[in-house]
Amino acid sequence: MEKFGTLTAIAAAYPKVNVDTDLIIRVERCAGTPREALGPWAFEMVRYRPDGSEDPGFVFNREPWREAKILVAGENFGTGSSREMAVWALARMGLRCVIAPSFGEIFFGNCLQNGLLAIRLPADEVRRLMALASAPASATFTVDLARQTINGTTRFEISPRPKRMLLEGLDELGLTLAMEPEIAAFQAMDRPRRPWIYL
Amino acid sequence: MGRSLFEKLWDLHVIAELGDGMQLLHVDRHILNELSGSRAQLDNAKRSLKPRHPQLTLGVADHVVPTEPGRAGDKTPWAKNVMQIFRDESRRDGILLLDVNDPDQGIEHVIGPESGFTLPGTLLVCGDSHTCTNGALGALAWGIGSSEVCHVLATQTIVQPKPRSMRARFEGALPPGVTAKDLMLALIGKYGTTGALGHAVEYAGAAIRELEIEGRMTLCNLSIEFGAKIGMVAPDEKTYAYLKGRRHAPQGALWDQALAHWRTLPSDPDARFDREVALDCSGLVPQVTWGTSPEDVIGVDGRIPDLKPEALAYMGLSPGQPLAGTRIDRVFIGSCTNSRLSDLRAAAAIARGRRVAAHVEAWVVPGSMRVKREAEAEGLHEVFRAAGFQWREPGCSMCVGANGDLVGPGERCVSTSNRNFVGRQGPGARTHLASPATAAACAVAGEITDARTL
Ligand code: SF4
């Protein structure tokens, strides 16, 4: 997984609330598109017009946000389906960081699995960042994960474990595979307690 | 202090504390579908990772399978490829796969409980957000992403922060014609789709005890639409009676031992929850959504509110207009929310002796092969066919359209599924979520209507 250190990049504001993962990536793309090719299909229902041309009303179709690596989003971003392809599509579109007042829970977990930093901030703070991101002159943000700051002043919370995973590019599966003795010990204790579990 | 069902279940599964609220938990049961599952299987194969306990994973084909009668007409360019990977990898990994013509095939969240694979007290995960459905049996169940599917296959564990706990009480008796679907839509309408964010929800109260197991599944299914990954109902005698004798349920002495354990699981009377919410059921009417989020819901006798202009434009509705009387094009009775035998009975009771309106295309898609067989044994398929409904093969179908079963652009569909998102049932499709009885009534009326007045 790619490490996340300090990111200085354009931020795009997308204030819609309850953006669901069906909107982020359509199910047809989940089924029929390789992971590497998902980027162009992120947000396709709002990104393109019916004739396939770009909709200039969509922020990622305008300069300078075409290059955005940070998304400032509305409440409950990534709600709905567990499809991890939503995160893959955002990552392939170039995003490294999403900031919102709240996230769909499965989406939030999926971000971490893919080195995408998801930051929860109070709604008024998100509104302020959206205003900054909306003007080209102030749309370049610096996200410092080690210091847990945005633009040097806005502090965000992140638990130590996900923080370490992102900073060091660690993969959760790799970490857990190293815990085989603990897993075996749990099952040895659990088998006599709940024998019907182990089919 | 007493402990809640959720706390008991959580504690039973903790393998290790990982610091700062994260825990490594044992996964007792894992269900794999072809869509998120096949990707994860390939990823693990690339890393030469074998499943740690293949017998604790059950594979099922549901999302991309054709539902045309006789399984004819694969409408997608991807189904063949996805299924091929799923079959090959499952065979190599030694995972039982309920393939498209298996007598036990069905929607993953229907077949988990129905086969006794899901049990009270188990921690069950699956790469699909509606895994919360399984909580109806008193299981700790939630949906996961593909990376987590890889993790579960390889380690039989999952890493999670412990959610906060919530109890949602449904007080008062359910009025006639009001179903579990209506209860839960009303709750989501009241508290919003972020109402339970970060919480594991236990549904409780007199109305829940009265609900049959299948109704509890409908209720728990919509937990994710309430913002919660986990929803659950405490197991009781109905739960045990439902499970006894099912294919994967314990038998003989093991059953007795399991039963004794299950009886210790319900929340203690003095259990505390981080949050409590409540809904009075006694005045409820059947619920129908009007917008593009499950929280956009009103009683079928209500008027469209002056809210969310973007959603109303998409739905082609105006503030102030009555919801009832809105002309529809399609009806979909199916999905892991409402495709079980009791759902089909409720719909058939409305359809019996009536006709689907001439301009409406109405489908019934049973949740599983078993549901289909049981419904046919009761003659429900004849009732539906005689009324002009299509009687189809089990699968996810028009809930998400991954198999090409789509609602056309601009078409209005009353659906018993769980998501009315923009484009969910197809680009430009307009979805109204409702109960099976309401959906069947709408099919007959050709417009949104109150089943109780038919
Ligand atoms: S029926 Fe719909 S919600 Fe349920 S698992 Fe299938 S696609 Fe998902």
Side-chain angles (χ1 to χ4, degrees), chain A residues 20 22 26 28 30-31 33 35 80-82 84 105 110 159-161 171 176 180 187 193-194 197 199, chain B residues 12-13 20 26 28-29 39 43 47 52-53 55 78 128 145-147 151 157 198 227 419 421 423-424:
Chain A
D20 56 76
D22 280 70
R26 286 199 54 81
E28 296 87 336
C30 296
T33 312
R35 187 183 313 203
S81 162
S82 63
E84 193 163 318
E105 281 184 59
N110 286 341
S159 302
R161 184 185 156 96
D171 155 55
T176 304
E180 174 56 32
Q187 291 188 335
R193 180 177 72 166
R194 301 186 306 150
I197 294 297
L199 294 169
Chain B
L12 265 174
H13 293 91
D20 104 76
H26 188 260
D28 302 331
R29 295 285 183 269
R39 294 239 189 191
D43 284 351
R47 288 174 76 165
R52 198 178 190 285
H53 294 281
Q55 75 282 16
W78 54 77
D128 188 281
S146 305
S147 297
H151 189 282
T157 68
R419 287 183 175 144
F421 298 158
R424 168 78 177 184

Side-chain angles (χ1 to χ4, degrees), chain B residues 102-123:
Chain B
D102 192 289
D104 285 341
Q105 182 268 350
I107 304 171
E108 50 194 341
H109 315 307
V110 175
I111 57 113
E114 162 188 288
S115 66
F117 189 71
T118 309
L119 296 172
T122 48
L123 192 159

Side-chain angles (χ1 to χ4, degrees), chain B residues 62-63 107-109 128 130 335-336 396 399-400 418 424:
Chain B
D62 56 3
H63 281 69
I107 304 171
E108 50 194 341
H109 315 307
D128 188 281
H130 288 100
S335 90
C336 57
C396 293
C399 171
V400 71
N418 42 51
R424 168 78 177 184

